[in-house]
Amino acid sequence: EAAVTQSPRNKVAVTGGKVTLSCNQTNNHNNMYWYRQDTGHGLRLIHYSYGAGSTEKGDIPDGYKASRPSQENFSLILELATPSQTSVYFCASGARQGATGQLYFGEGSKLTVL
Amino acid sequence: GQQVKQSSPSLTVQEGGILILNCDYENDMFDYFAWYKKYPDNSPTLLISVRSNVDKREDGRFTVFLNKSGKHFSLHITASQPEDTAVYLCAARGTGSKLSFGKGAKLTVSP
């Protein structure tokens, strides 16, 4: 049974619209992450979180907000979507630093902004 | 700038051959190094990893070598198989649990 699930899996949005990508994990991990994947760029970190109530900026946070209301849930919010945010977004969870560094990824959410 | 730099974006190897994928990093504080494998339309999965107090780790056909003085780590794959065809992403973790990825290398194993 999938331990990291994302929704929606596919989304088409209009420029200027608001988009929320949701992620739920059942691994009981403290850390959660949002990455985007683009050809030629690999995975780039947008936001991450150490636990409920915490959000941290990753390497490319501009144009994105994040919310971690609980241990299990971590959302990525695009308040004003732009075509440059068309991408595949991956959520991941991981144990606290010092333990294994392995991240467990969700299935990905494909976002198209027209 | 990119803290983890992955060379050779595309590689082809014959089935049964040996392949080496390379990655360079900038941050002296990185303490964990990993290789992830990704099939098209799938999510990345951990292939092999090593902590900074070890310079080599082997798991079957896969070995990761870490050269801390050169800020370099590599993945060696022996006896390549068609199912090894995938994108391989190197990654490194610094303080704050941030895992930074390279741009990925597309490997094709030809019969």
Side-chain angles (χ1 to χ4, degrees):
Chain A
E1 191 170 331
V4 181
T5 55
Q6 298 179 222
S7 64
R9 296 291 313 281
N10 284 282
K11 172 77 177 177
V12 179
V14 296
T15 297
K18 182 177 181 178
V19 176
T20 299
L21 303 178
S22 300
C23 180
N24 176 276
Q25 56 105 356
T26 57
N27 295 320
N28 197 32
H29 285 155
N30 289 84
N31 298 340
M32 295 187 74
Y33 307 79
W34 276 106
Y35 290 88
R36 62 178 283 178
Q37 180 205 1
D38 303 286
T39 301
H41 290 280
L43 290 171
R44 291 182 291 174
L45 182 63
I46 306 169
H47 285 287
Y48 61 108
S49 167
Y50 294 121
S54 110
T55 60
E56 305 290 333
K57 291 181 179 179
D59 298 322
I60 53 164
D62 292 346
Y64 302 93
K65 292 183 180 178
S67 174
R68 182 87 182 270
S70 64
Q71 176 86 338
E72 297 79 18
N73 294 294
F74 190 38
S75 297
L76 186 68
I77 303 152
L78 291 67
E79 295 278 5
L80 295 169
T82 68
S84 65
Q85 294 175 311
T86 292
S87 186
V88 178
Y89 292 85
F90 285 98
C91 174
S93 74
R96 190 191 305 274
Q97 184 170 8
T100 171
Q102 182 171 0
L103 295 191
Y104 298 82
F105 284 85
E107 316 96 317
S109 296
K110 184 177 180 180
L111 173 65
T112 303
V113 183
L114 302 175
Chain B
Q2 193 126 13
Q3 292 197 62
V4 181
K5 297 181 180 178
Q6 193 167 354
S7 56
S8 304
S10 183
L11 293 161
T12 300
V13 65
Q14 276 203 313
E15 187 174 356
I18 297 172
L19 175 74
I20 300 173
L21 298 171
N22 294 297
C23 210
D24 297 301
Y25 63 94
E26 299 176 353
N27 190 340
D28 287 331
M29 299 304 293
F30 283 155
D31 66 351
Y32 168 88
F33 304 87
W35 288 92
Y36 279 74
K37 182 177 181 180
K38 187 183 181 303
Y39 291 117
D41 299 324
N42 274 28
S43 55
T45 55
L46 179 67
L47 181 62
I48 191 169
S49 65
V50 68
R51 300 187 72 90
S52 58
N53 58 347
V54 173
D55 57 12
K56 174 185 173 182
R57 184 168 175 227
E58 187 174 343
D59 184 0
R61 298 185 296 112
F62 305 96
T63 303
V64 58
F65 291 91
L66 174 62
N67 176 354
K68 284 179 287 185
S69 61
K71 296 184 184 178
H72 176 86
F73 62 110
S74 60
L75 173 68
H76 293 221
I77 304 174
T78 59
S80 298
Q81 301 171 2
E83 53 264 37
D84 294 333
T85 295
V87 172
Y88 290 80
L89 296 145
C90 62
R93 185 185 70 186
T95 56
S97 299
K98 281 178 58 176
L99 192 66
S100 297
F101 285 85
K103 293 186 177 183
K106 184 177 180 181
L107 170 64
T108 303
V109 179
S110 59

